Amino acid sequence: MEIARVVVLAVVVAVGVAYYRRIMGGPSSPRRSSRRAEALGFLPQSAQNTLQAAADADLERAKAAAARGRWEPAARLLARTREQRDWARRSLYSDALGSHRAARRGSWLDAWEAAVGPDDPDAALVRARATVSLAWRLRGGGWAKDTSREQFAGFHDTLARAPQLHTRAAELDPEDPSPYVSEIWTALGLGYSGERMRGIWKEITVRDPYHYGAHCAALQYWCAKWRGSEDLAVSFARDAMAGAPRGSLLSALPLIAWYEHRDDDAKDADFRAPYLVAMVDAVLADVAEAPQGHPDTASVRHLLAYFLTRQGRHEAALLQFRLVDGYVDALPWRYWDDPAAVYCLWRDRAVKGAR
């Protein structure tokens, strides 16, 4: 997703090369493993889609049409999610369609707004999303010390317009949590207080208490690298999981919190700790009970594939890799400059380790 990808790049780009070299190992083993993976039916690195976490023909057609200047497929797609009250998918679609390109003058989004007028809730939501995406794009993916004054100025000036746009989108469809979900990424950039963030969170949960994408975004806010700490992130993740029904996928939140705060310095033995194995098992059970077609199941499977491989549970990891192969815009792969390469590295290690 556009916003999330730019945000996380700002955090990890400085350390990515060193870690990538460490996990890649020797230059020949990845090629041998890739041949084995392809012999088993897995796709090569060049065929991995880095813009989505899973196949979605409707979304892909809408994005392709938007790239050609046609807004109608996107409008139909967003209208359907609103009419069906499919809030999780609505957030995902508005994020994918609301790229920084959509915010540029003369874009397909401009044409959509001109055709439908100022009171269309779907166009308003995409406009808010696109504005946030553009702001992060203007900032760039570097550390603060490597970001120029001009970049920061463009970032803050653009992001400052987002709250009003989110408010307008929320007014046009009061039942929709998506504008509030999008505003979390504004909260990260503008440094909203914890109190203000909790206000946004209340607006989301009163509309959709188990919104997976919203929980993942809020978890980022409470992480130490943004506006919180490891304790706050872990507490948020555990509380969300404790109150969630099976199949909601929220059992993945403690695993994400662990990854965000521990993965960089973790040793192989850390991944095999009994409590972490139990966390992975809980997510496996949750995924098994998720409703068919849940838009975020693939994202959780990507996370499982990584952790299962790190735990040496290679056969179980391969089951997850088979279900997501071909699409790699998901945690943890999206944290790297070349997500397809890192995805294939860990997939191929699972192939090598499996019987």
Side-chain angles (χ1 to χ4, degrees):
M1 288 187 274
E2 181 75 20
I3 299 170
R5 185 182 298 110
V6 176
V7 172
V8 297
L9 279 174
V11 179
V12 301
V13 69
V15 298
V17 173
Y19 185 68
Y20 178 71
R21 289 174 176 170
R22 174 165 68 85
I23 63 175
M24 281 297 289
S28 60
S29 58
R31 290 196 295 271
R32 288 198 299 270
S33 296
S34 291
R35 285 197 294 269
R36 292 180 62 186
E38 291 171 32
L40 292 174
F42 288 104
L43 295 173
Q45 178 180 325
S46 60
Q48 303 297 328
N49 184 317
T50 61
L51 300 178
Q52 293 180 199
D56 189 320
D58 289 341
L59 177 59
E60 291 178 62
R61 282 193 291 268
K63 290 196 297 185
R68 298 191 298 270
R70 294 182 55 241
W71 56 268
E72 293 87 352
R76 288 193 294 269
L77 201 61
L78 268 295
R80 189 175 72 202
T81 62
R82 174 170 44 83
E83 292 160 1
Q84 296 176 350
R85 298 173 57 85
D86 189 350
W87 304 134
R89 200 176 306 276
R90 183 171 175 80
S91 291
L92 189 153
Y93 284 172
S94 61
D95 195 7
L97 291 163
S99 72
H100 68 277
R101 296 178 184 86
R104 301 291 188 183
R105 185 174 299 175
S107 73
W108 65 273
L109 180 54
D110 280 355
W112 183 7
E113 291 171 327
V116 299
D119 297 329
D120 184 88
D122 306 320
L125 175 61
V126 176
R127 172 62 67 184
R129 275 292 207 185
T131 301
V132 178
S133 292
L134 178 61
W136 286 99
R137 179 76 175 187
L138 291 172
R139 184 201 182 280
W143 294 100
K145 65 181 180 63
D146 301 317
T147 303
S148 70
R149 182 177 301 177
E150 290 75 16
Q151 285 175 296
F152 272 125
F155 170 66
H156 286 291
D157 289 347
T158 303
L159 200 59
R161 301 200 302 266
Q164 182 176 357
L165 294 171
H166 288 128
T167 298
R168 178 58 176 162
E171 290 172 348
L172 291 171
D173 189 359
E175 295 183 346
D176 183 11
S178 304
Y180 301 99
V181 179
S182 179
E183 193 167 3
I184 294 174
W185 300 105
T186 304
L188 286 175
L190 297 183
Y192 284 11
S193 68
E195 181 180 2
R196 188 173 180 182
M197 176 61 190
R198 282 186 282 271
I200 295 172
W201 190 241
K202 183 177 180 180
E203 298 289 352
I204 293 170
T205 54
V206 75
R207 291 166 172 81
D208 190 352
Y210 310 118
H211 192 302
Y212 180 79
H215 279 82
C216 288
L219 179 59
Q220 290 295 318
Y221 176 92
W222 295 115
C223 281
K225 65 185 180 183
W226 288 110
R227 306 298 173 182
S229 65
E230 181 175 3
D231 286 345
L232 287 171
V234 170
S235 177
F236 173 83
R238 287 177 176 170
D239 288 349
M241 175 184 173
R246 293 288 286 271
S248 67
L249 305 178
L250 297 189
S251 62
L253 295 176
L255 205 57
I256 296 173
W258 189 95
Y259 177 86
E260 293 287 0
H261 296 92
R262 301 298 181 91
D263 183 80
D264 283 350
D265 299 320
K267 306 296 189 293
D268 288 342
D270 296 326
F271 286 91
R272 299 187 180 97
Y275 81 96
L276 195 58
V277 172
M279 287 169 61
V280 171
D281 287 343
V283 181
L284 283 167
D286 206 8
V287 166
E289 296 192 29
Q292 185 176 5
H294 193 303
D296 298 300
T297 301
S299 293
V300 177
R301 291 194 185 281
H302 280 283
L303 189 69
L304 281 170
Y306 172 74
F307 273 94
L308 287 165
T309 304
R310 295 301 303 260
Q311 291 177 346
R313 303 160 71 180
H314 297 118
E315 288 81 7
L318 279 186
L319 291 175
Q320 304 301 322
F321 278 119
R322 284 195 180 281
L323 291 168
V324 298
D325 196 53
Y327 295 83
V328 299
D329 184 26
L331 188 71
W333 332 120
R334 66 151 60 129
Y335 274 22
W336 306 99
D337 287 339
D338 192 345
V342 179
Y343 165 85
C344 288
L345 164 71
W346 290 107
R347 183 199 64 187
D348 294 352
R349 287 192 174 185
V351 169
K352 183 178 180 180
R355 291 191 298 272

